[in-house]
């Protein structure tokens, strides 16, 4: 009977090895074979691998180059940990590998990782969703790169929302990125964070305004491994969240009546017609 191996696709996070999840470290430690891309993943993550594990650098291999390894794993019942930078759900070319592994009869499981956009937000000490300023985060990249963008997915169209945007894989065309963001409606003074190699030893994180984005990227000679965070939430204070307001209630906490009345007055001023949920909630909080 043919043995059945297992493939793990492991998110390595943005770079620093101590940002691996506990599950990711355990999976790497148990793997017979560890596949990693030296161009994208910090070598420190390999410290979790067994001394006798086979280590394969995939940075110079197309998917056809690792396919024999996947076949060997299926035939000999090996456990393989393929380490991806950031989170495998984002721009990791994972889906095509999942399909190949399943066709080979390999069991497959994914371990999520810390994405660079959340790591950069932590580095600069900002929340990306500020009440009444930005309540959405758009993750995208500039059109015109190696992989075509689907119709309707253009940076200038996303920019029309005016919310927080994380722009990946776009530093090599920073002038185009700046032009698209401005054309979409972000003002020239919109705050931007430019982050190169976030959490790596040579990390560089700088702030600028959108009108200075291309010049900032050129000044620091950045063209890869660079993320842009854009939007008013990167500087605005916003208003108080209701989550920890004494007038807010949930399953484990009742609202204070006076504070609840304050919230109701504020909502009525903003929207004279409360939703059914708000009305029901007010009855419950009394």
């Amino acid at each position: 009977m043919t043995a059945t191996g297992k493939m793990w696709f492991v998110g390595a996070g943005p770079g620093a090895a101590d940002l691996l999840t506990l599950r990711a470290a355990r999976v790497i430690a148990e793997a017979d074979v560890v596949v990693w891309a030296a161009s994208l993943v910090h070598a420190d993550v390999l410290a979790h691998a067994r001394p006798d594990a086979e280590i394969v650098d995939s940075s110079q291999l197309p998917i056809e180059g690792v396919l024999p390894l996947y076949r060997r794993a299926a035939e000999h019942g090996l456990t393989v940990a393929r380490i991806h930078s950031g989170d495998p759900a984002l721009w990791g070319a994972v889906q095509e590998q999942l399909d190949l592994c399943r066709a080979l009869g390999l069991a497959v499981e994914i371990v999520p990782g810390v994405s660079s956009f959340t790591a950069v937000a932590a580095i600069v000490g900002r929340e990306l969703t500020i009440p009444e300023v930005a309540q959405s985060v758009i993750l995208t990249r500039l059109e015109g790169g190696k992989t075509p963008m689907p119709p309707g997915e253009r940076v200038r169209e996303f920019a029309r929302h005016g919310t927080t945007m994380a722009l990946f894989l776009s530093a090599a065309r920073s002038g185009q990125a700046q032009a698209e963001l401005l054309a979409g409606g972000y003002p020239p003074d919109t705050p931007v964070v430019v982050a190169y190699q976030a959490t790596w030893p040579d990390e560089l994180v700088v702030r600028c305004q959108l009108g200075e984005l291309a010049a900032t990227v050129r000044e620091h000679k950045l063209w890869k491994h660079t993320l842009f965070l854009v939007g008013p939430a990167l500087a605005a204070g916003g208003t108080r969240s209701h989550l920890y307001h004494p007038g807010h209630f949930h399953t484990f906490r009742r609202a204070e009546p006076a504070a609840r009345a304050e919230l109701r007055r504020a909502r009525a001023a903003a929207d004279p017609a409360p939703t059914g949920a708000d009305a029901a909630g007010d009855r419950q909080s009394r």
Side-chain angles (χ1 to χ4, degrees), residues 5 25 29-31 36 49 62 64 66 68 72-73 76 78 86 108 132 138 144 170 174 183 186 209 233 241 268 284:
E30 294 174 353
W36 75 301
E64 289 79 5
V66 293
R72 179 156 56 90
H76 297 283
L78 302 177
V108 176
E132 298 188 45
I138 297 172
S170 303
S174 58
Y186 282 117
Q209 294 185 343
S241 167
Q284 179 177 337

Side-chain angles (χ1 to χ4, degrees), residues 116-129:
S116 58
F117 84 93
T118 58
V120 173
I123 290 167
V124 298
R126 294 298 305 184
E127 182 179 357
L128 301 181
T129 52

Side-chain angles (χ1 to χ4, degrees), residues 214-254:
T216 301
V217 171
R218 287 195 300 270
E219 176 188 351
H220 295 285
K221 299 179 173 60
L222 305 177
W223 62 278
K224 63 178 182 177
H225 305 319
T226 301
L227 172 74
F228 304 146
L229 291 181
V230 184
L234 296 169
T239 60
R240 179 174 180 176
S241 167
H242 289 181
L243 180 60
Y244 297 111
H245 193 287
H248 177 71
F249 67 92
H250 52 68
T251 305
F252 298 96
R253 189 179 80 221
R254 296 182 66 84

Side-chain angles (χ1 to χ4, degrees), residues 21-268:
T21 65
L22 294 174
R23 183 179 300 178
R26 175 180 60 78
V27 167
I28 294 170
E30 294 174 353
D32 301 302
V33 183
V34 177
V35 183
W36 75 301
S39 58
L40 297 172
V41 177
H42 199 284
D44 285 356
V45 303
L46 298 179
H48 295 283
R50 294 186 343 227
D52 62 335
E54 179 183 354
I55 308 296
V56 178
D57 180 3
S58 63
S59 60
Q60 299 183 26
L61 299 174
I63 194 168
E64 289 79 5
V66 293
L67 190 55
L69 188 155
Y70 294 173
R71 289 197 182 100
R72 179 156 56 90
E75 293 168 359
H76 297 283
L78 302 177
T79 297
V80 180
R82 177 146 193 177
I83 306 174
H84 283 257
S85 60
D87 186 289
L90 298 173
W91 297 287
V94 169
Q95 191 59 51
E96 58 202 67
Q97 297 181 73
L98 295 173
D99 295 341
L100 284 171
C101 290
R102 287 166 178 148
L104 291 170
L106 284 164
V108 176
E109 196 162 344
I110 300 172
V111 180
V114 175
S115 176
S116 58
F117 84 93
T118 58
V120 173
I123 290 167
V124 298
R126 294 298 305 184
E127 182 179 357
L128 301 181
T129 52
I130 304 296
E132 298 188 45
V133 175
Q135 287 291 286
S136 304
V137 180
I138 297 172
L139 312 180
T140 191
R141 65 173 182 80
L142 192 63
E143 59 272 10
K146 296 177 182 177
T147 303
M149 293 289 280
E153 293 192 21
R154 298 187 62 189
V155 167
R156 71 170 60 193
E157 298 302 324
F158 290 136
R160 297 190 194 284
H161 295 283
T163 189
T164 308
M165 186 182 298
L167 199 55
F168 294 75
L169 307 170
S170 303
R173 293 169 292 137
S174 58
Q176 181 186 350
Q178 177 178 315
E180 289 291 305
L181 291 165
L182 289 170
Y186 282 117
D189 62 352
T190 300
V192 178
V193 174
V194 179
Y196 167 78
Q197 295 275 74
T199 79
W200 289 60
D202 58 344
E203 164 191 293
L204 174 67
V205 178
V206 295
R207 290 175 177 267
C208 66
Q209 294 185 343
L210 178 54
E212 307 163 339
L213 175 59
T216 301
V217 171
R218 287 195 300 270
E219 176 188 351
H220 295 285
K221 299 179 173 60
L222 305 177
W223 62 278
K224 63 178 182 177
H225 305 319
T226 301
L227 172 74
F228 304 146
L229 291 181
V230 184
L234 296 169
T239 60
R240 179 174 180 176
S241 167
H242 289 181
L243 180 60
Y244 297 111
H245 193 287
H248 177 71
F249 67 92
H250 52 68
T251 305
F252 298 96
R253 189 179 80 221
R254 296 182 66 84
E256 295 178 8
R260 183 65 186 171
E262 176 190 335
L263 281 185
R264 291 178 66 191
R265 285 192 296 270
R267 288 177 179 173

